[in-house]
Amino acid sequence: MLQREFTEEQQMFRDAYRKFLAAEIVPHMEDWREAGIVDRSAFRKAGEQGFLMVWPDEQYGGMGDPDFRFEQIIIEETAYARAGDWYNSLHSRLVGPYLTRFGSQEQCQRLLPKCVSGEHVLAIAMTEPDAGSDLAGMRSTAVERDDHWLLNGSKTYISNGINADVVIVAAKTDPDNNPHHMTLFIVERGMAGFERGRNLKKMGLKAQDTAELFFNDVQVPKANVLGEPGKGFIYLMQGLAEERLIGAVGYLSAAQLSWDLTAEFVKERKAFGKPVAAYQNTQFKLAELRTELDIAQCFVDQCVRAFNAGELTAVDAAKAKLVTSELQVKVADAGVQMHGGAGYMDEYAISRQFTDARISPIYAGTSEVMKIIISRDCLGGDYNPFNTRNF
Amino acid sequence: MLQREFTEEQQMFRDAYRKFLAAEIVPHMEDWREAGIVDRSAFRKAGEQGFLMVWPDEQYGGMGDPDFRFEQIIIEETAYARAGDWYNSLHSRLVGPYLTRFGSQEQCQRLLPKCVSGEHVLAIAMTEPDAGSDLAGMRSTAVERDDHWLLNGSKTYISNGINADVVIVAAKTDPDNNPHHMTLFIVERGMAGFERGRNLKKMGLKAQDTAELFFNDVQVPKANVLGEPGKGFIYLMQGLAEERLIGAVGYLSAAQLSWDLTAEFVKERKAFGKPVAAYQNTQFKLAELRTELDIAQCFVDQCVRAFNAGELTAVDAAKAKLVTSELQVKVADAGVQMHGGAGYMDEYAISRQFTDARISPIYAGTSEVMKIIISRDCLGGDYNPFNTRNF
Amino acid sequence: MLQREFTEEQQMFRDAYRKFLAAEIVPHMEDWREAGIVDRSAFRKAGEQGFLMVWPDEQYGGMGDPDFRFEQIIIEETAYARAGDWYNSLHSRLVGPYLTRFGSQEQCQRLLPKCVSGEHVLAIAMTEPDAGSDLAGMRSTAVERDDHWLLNGSKTYISNGINADVVIVAAKTDPDNNPHHMTLFIVERGMAGFERGRNLKKMGLKAQDTAELFFNDVQVPKANVLGEPGKGFIYLMQGLAEERLIGAVGYLSAAQLSWDLTAEFVKERKAFGKPVAAYQNTQFKLAELRTELDIAQCFVDQCVRAFNAGELTAVDAAKAKLVTSELQVKVADAGVQMHGGAGYMDEYAISRQFTDARISPIYAGTSEVMKIIISRDCLGGDYNPFNTRNF
Amino acid sequence: MLQREFTEEQQMFRDAYRKFLAAEIVPHMEDWREAGIVDRSAFRKAGEQGFLMVWPDEQYGGMGDPDFRFEQIIIEETAYARAGDWYNSLHSRLVGPYLTRFGSQEQCQRLLPKCVSGEHVLAIAMTEPDAGSDLAGMRSTAVERDDHWLLNGSKTYISNGINADVVIVAAKTDPDNNPHHMTLFIVERGMAGFERGRNLKKMGLKAQDTAELFFNDVQVPKANVLGEPGKGFIYLMQGLAEERLIGAVGYLSAAQLSWDLTAEFVKERKAFGKPVAAYQNTQFKLAELRTELDIAQCFVDQCVRAFNAGELTAVDAAKAKLVTSELQVKVADAGVQMHGGAGYMDEYAISRQFTDARISPIYAGTSEVMKIIISRDCLGGDYNPFNTRNF
Ligand SMILES: Cc1cc2nc3c(=O)[nH]c(=O)nc-3n(C[C@H](O)[C@H](O)[C@H](O)COP(=O)(O)OP(=O)(O)OC[C@H]3O[C@@H](n4cnc5c(N)ncnc54)[C@H](O)[C@@H]3O)c2cc1C
Ligand SMILES: Cc1cc2nc3c(=O)[nH]c(=O)nc-3n(C[C@H](O)[C@H](O)[C@H](O)COP(=O)(O)OP(=O)(O)OC[C@H]3O[C@@H](n4cnc5c(N)ncnc54)[C@H](O)[C@@H]3O)c2cc1C
Ligand SMILES: Cc1cc2nc3c(=O)[nH]c(=O)nc-3n(C[C@H](O)[C@H](O)[C@H](O)COP(=O)(O)OP(=O)(O)OC[C@H]3O[C@@H](n4cnc5c(N)ncnc54)[C@H](O)[C@@H]3O)c2cc1C
Ligand SMILES: Cc1cc2nc3c(=O)[nH]c(=O)nc-3n(C[C@H](O)[C@H](O)[C@H](O)COP(=O)(O)OP(=O)(O)OC[C@H]3O[C@@H](n4cnc5c(N)ncnc54)[C@H](O)[C@@H]3O)c2cc1C
């Protein structure tokens, strides 16, 4: 496998974070899966030890180091520790940056410190019962009133939906019904008319609370409008490259774990007098997957580098998202098969790896949506022939 | 789709059974899934109405009609009603026939009527913690004593393991340690030393109880030896063609349901102003799967015909098992994807279709074992060139 | 493999035809491949011995037996003898029936006997440089004049294009430019203005002549209009189920040959001290393909049965075409790989099996067009749920 | 697509080489394909203009720049100009380095300048009729005599076999028959007993001469032994990483061309009133392949970087070879399909792209052999868990 590049500081950070996970998170995961929700203390403990949100400026309690590799380490270790359904990165790196990217300084000062400390849990609510891939199809609306906006509508499949204290909610705000005219609102726990629905039962990601949210005449103060009214759709698009990179890093790490779990299993497990790893079918399948993993890892690592250099395009991020999410399913699926009956049992990690994996090609933009993005780019007029196109 | 062939009587039987399922089974499935086990009343009700075991002679309470298509109808309708994890066919057609095939008349008279009526639930226990694909690796043993055999060992992953009243247990019985010298024992609820372990938590088939069984110095009376001592391995092999046909019929019916559920969903669901069914990717994927399903159905139906004619080989049954189980997973997987986020939610049937499907290529002989069987046959010396080999 | 069903007479026919091929056709194939065209004598010899067109009435020189299995035997044996690029079935069963289906008795009497005897070679010309899948896009036109039609246009990729004496040509004939208003013309060798272009160089099917045809003010006598003017498009559609069944039988037989060739090779070839057939990767791949072949064969045989009963739908034929053509490529591809370097050499049959196969998913309706046909059917409003739909 | 990194000098080199190809090579390729062999002048012209062998020291006529990216540029542009079957890189970068790596200074001085100038064409002969993947199975032998070795045996599938003036031949040289005891001999045109067999007819790579070579009592002077006697097997192994990197760069560039050709075609070609590129099936397939290509390119480029740093392992090179060769076939195959009938015609480049591609997963180590290498590595005892293994 090609050498990966992390600084010494980052290696130390990795070790420290791994120890934190082993001590504070991993021992509780099974209980939280049973409960269908992570205990809020998880966020606070991570916050206390400086592992929740590392990117914000020191004034907000972060490390202020913009190198994405710190986040990459967090995501990799979390996934590799089988704590992926804690969903800390949604809080810290996917939703958090909305505040600094589009929010006012007042909003940052008011909200960010508590996000960094883990007192506040974050969520983002775009999807609705009738609008997922096609956000422009959403029906939630907000109408401007004196000092507030009146928000109405319902959202579904919202991660951290039960735990969240602060939810960024997208709603349509054009009196003329332009479907792309949206605004992002910061809705806070306790606002009148903001109700939570069921914590939805789902195939995997058992410790993550995925919920319905309802907004009935919620009066969102103008101070809680994120950025400029009407620009919500554009804002949502702006974060996509980063969000998909976060996703890709996580999916791939989960796939790496599935491969490692399986390799270990087949070396131990015997059938017909030999380890299952001694059969050529096992060897070839694992070699194919090992190859795909290494190649995907190389690509993701280069995407991280490009991202750090400010050069990662939304299209390349879509490629990373597409490939890693499909690979995560593929490796977990092969892993289940090679585990035999054990692969179907909760007590073997691979079983949950499989059911957890299945959502990756669906959320944060389905594989089909990724293909739409990619084909639009490469079949568009601007695409150059191979030997001229990328330098 | 090519015409299928059922008699008028069979069509009526199908209708009646479908009504029975709708009235007595389907309304409880979700509760039973929650409980991790089917209520025993399910077996009794089916027994009462003549739907549990149809093949045994009238003297035992059955219809005595050997046409496999009655069983096919039961399996198809059960799967199509999403009651596949009731696992009635394991009881009635997979384990039940061991009694008539290898048992004495005394044993049949003693046990069969209660199996037909549903008072007794059946299970079969071969797999052990260290021996699944490779049955010859099992460690359970039985030693002959005066009027009984002393059975010791443990079994795992036993379907109906908690509910079962009568368990056919395979154990090694050769003093000289010939690994293929096994005997089948009829172990009954209440025999001293026969303990049940945990009802194992698993990915899918939630209503089916899969359990560990322990045998500590169980004294199995000689009257409870099935067939001749030492012939257990051969007996187990003899039922394989039929068992895999049962499996194949079920996997394929589940796949048919997944396709139908998905087709229905994509016709209703809209994205970007059009039904998801209006996109060519959706159409082509569903057309490919429709084709694979129709072809597999044709093969399975011909296998049923061959079985009725006494001509189904173990190798052809292995092909049917291999193809249908892989297809079941494939269709469910595509179905989840086309459902978008809904595909991940318990409340949408496709989600459970997917997790239920994943075991099919593993149990009743893994896909790898099927390929061993098939390759041994077709790469063996007896295989003739195409234009002479099969007539 | 499930039993196939042929009558004793058919078995004898198979043997006789196989002998004919071995004596008269196979020894010349390599020369004809070199020449890029089959010698016309091939058709005459087959005609003389009664193997060219078997289905026509005895008055025309045929056997008059409508059972499609005679054709199936011809196609299977031809493919299995590696004489598939002779393309006799295009002549005899694909184009020939146009005469009896739509032609007048005069036309049949005038033309059919020479087709049966092999003096006349047949072709059909639909495709044009700018219109393949989409026949309605063709530009050839014919305008009615006193006693003839004036035909203009050009066709391409026409099989038997050089050898053909009689070509059925589709052209647009609507003064009002309705794109589906076509007429079929019987164009004969020697008609003024009918020119042949190049015998196109292509990847495989080397012995088959695929050519361009040009029509410059060809005066086609009215006696050579096939059926009613304006109904050409409908006529073309009517033959599709049969044509695709012919295709499917051939593709599958070629695939059977590729499998047999490969199985034989890997049993002989040694690497690292063992036959290549002794490696599990080889075994599993061949077992998978064996299974797919057997299942496809079962489906095709049932389609033949349905066709004989007058019940084969265009949609089922499309399924057969889709699956068998893709499988032909897949088996040949795996076969090449398992042959190692030999797989790339003309002197090993598998190499040509591979390049010959690659056209099957393209002509006679591409796989994409098959999927359009199938999805239209199964996503249409008339499709019923599984347990009611096909009996 | 992620940015690739070449120096300005390299970009200029690329432009110059592209012009050279367009002027001197590309116009002749079709003739050479027809002839089954490249005219020797191709090598001389490239030599004259400094494009044949760039890596050797200036004393031998090269540029002396060890940066692999010059070779990468040559390979990429050659493949992208559809001149891949010229096979210049086999001469210059695959065989040539054997001289500097293992040869004496005398040998370098005697032979290298003419290789650089293109007067000598190089080949390497390992494979035999009965030994390909398993080189230790070769039967050619050489016995030491006074001032020479007596070489006997035959080789097959030797690239540049007809054109070659200097052939590096592997033969067994252990009196005790240790199968890995081999010696490499420099056999020159005109040595008595060195005969060439047929220029083998093959599926693709039509302009490349692939031949049998025979050695009957060839007296190879001791001055023509390469390196130390007995070390031949080890020498062959040492070049593997570099050879597979060369292969990977070429396969991938060919795949890039196939994609570009296809994208261009589907944008132009119309069916049913729309460009074929307007159909979602086309878009999605091309997006998937675009993604795979970009990811593979990233990996190959990183392998080049690792190679330049002296860090490329044989295992990573095997991964690159495996993935790019399979991808080359996959893209060409999809390209043929999307071309419709045109994809089967020699006059459309994609047709030859497809037949040329098919050898890549076979030679220079089959995909199966790559998987053996990779699985041995990753299932071996030294493999560490993901989050520790590659930094
Ligand atoms: C566990 C979980 C957590 C989630 N967390 C959040 C969250 O925190 N916040 C949030 O806002 N959302 C969240 N979501 C929602 C998620 O982002 C959506 O489910 C996803 O975007 C897909 O939308 P959908 O479910 O409406 O599917 P649909 O958009 O209805 O798609 C259905 C199918 O149609 C396909 N399709 C759609 N358009 C096309 C087209 N043009 N061509 C071809 N095929 C097409 C899709 O790919 C898919 O296969 C979550 C979902 C899940 C399951
Ligand atoms: C829900 C459920 C219900 C079950 N019900 C019953 C029941 O009622 N009664 C009962 O007796 N058992 C039952 N089983 C057990 C089931 O039959 C076994 O799990 C199955 O046979 C596989 O055995 P294993 O789990 O030991 O896997 P193993 O045999 O350990 O196989 C592990 C992996 O190795 C592969 N492998 C094995 N040998 C080879 C080889 N030679 N070459 C290549 N690969 C190989 C396998 O294919 C598999 O991928 C059940 C299992 C489950 C999960
Ligand atoms: C060896 C050979 C022999 C032949 N013999 C004959 C013959 O005897 N007589 C005759 O008339 N013709 C013959 N043909 C022509 C053959 O039938 C056509 O090539 C074929 O129908 C495809 O048409 P096309 O080449 O125009 O491809 P196109 O129709 O241009 O298709 C190009 C690609 O676009 C795809 N495509 C088209 N429409 C859609 C859509 N709506 N959605 C998604 N994808 C789409 C196609 O599937 C294909 O992949 C022959 C061809 C060959 C190569
Ligand atoms: C166009 C062309 C150019 C070539 N140029 C050269 C050249 O210049 N010099 C030269 O020396 N050689 C050359 N070769 C030969 C080439 O390197 C060999 O063909 C290749 O190494 C495969 O060897 P083989 O053909 O003997 O296949 P085999 O080794 O016989 O392999 C047959 C099949 O068995 C499989 N197999 C083998 N071992 C195993 C195993 N343990 N487990 C599972 N599967 C296995 C292989 O993967 C393959 O699928 C060339 C070949 C071609 C076709």
Side-chain angles (χ1 to χ4, degrees), chain D residues 22 93 118 141 161 164 211 214 225 254 273 285 287-288 294 307 329 354 359 367:
Chain D
R93 186 80 190 204
T141 56
F214 303 103
V225 170
K285 291 245 161 89
E288 287 164 24
D294 287 355
F307 180 80
V329 177
F354 177 68
I359 191 57
S367 290

Side-chain angles (χ1 to χ4, degrees), chain A residues 90 124-127 131-134 156-159 202 205 208 210 359 362-366 368-369 372, chain B residues 265 269-272 276 279 281-282 337-342 344-345, chain D residues 280 284:
Chain A
L90 177 90
I124 184 158
M126 303 174 279
T127 304
S133 303
D134 175 20
T156 194
Y157 304 150
I158 305 308
S159 306
K202 56 192 191 297
L205 294 186
Q208 188 243 57
T210 312
I359 191 58
I362 293 177
Y363 65 5
T366 67
E368 289 74 25
V369 169
I372 291 173
Chain B
F265 183 88
R269 182 79 185 170
K270 289 218 171 76
F272 305 100
V276 171
Y279 292 104
N281 177 65
T282 313
Q337 186 65 25
M338 292 185 200
H339 274 69
Y344 205 63
M345 299 296 145
Chain D
Q280 199 179 53
F284 277 27

Side-chain angles (χ1 to χ4, degrees), chain D residues 66-135:
Chain D
D67 188 334
F68 189 85
R69 287 178 296 174
F70 286 102
E71 205 65 41
Q72 186 177 17
I73 286 168
I74 289 181
I75 302 169
E76 286 183 0
E77 292 295 327
T78 311
Y80 203 77
R82 295 192 56 214
D85 38 346
W86 168 23
Y87 249 57
N88 50 334
S89 288
L90 177 90
H91 165 91
S92 61
R93 186 80 190 204
L94 204 138
V95 187
Y98 273 83
L99 292 172
T100 44
R101 238 186 263 139
F102 313 115
S104 65
Q105 221 188 327
E106 183 274 326
Q107 287 170 338
C108 287
Q109 274 160 356
R110 173 156 54 99
L111 297 166
L112 215 41
K114 291 200 166 160
C115 301
V116 174
S117 71
E119 281 155 284
H120 275 177
V121 174
L122 296 170
I124 184 159
M126 302 173 279
T127 305
E128 302 188 355
D130 288 322
S133 301
D134 174 19
L135 286 182

Side-chain angles (χ1 to χ4, degrees), chain A residues 99 160 245 273:
Chain A
L99 291 172
N160 295 351
L245 183 59

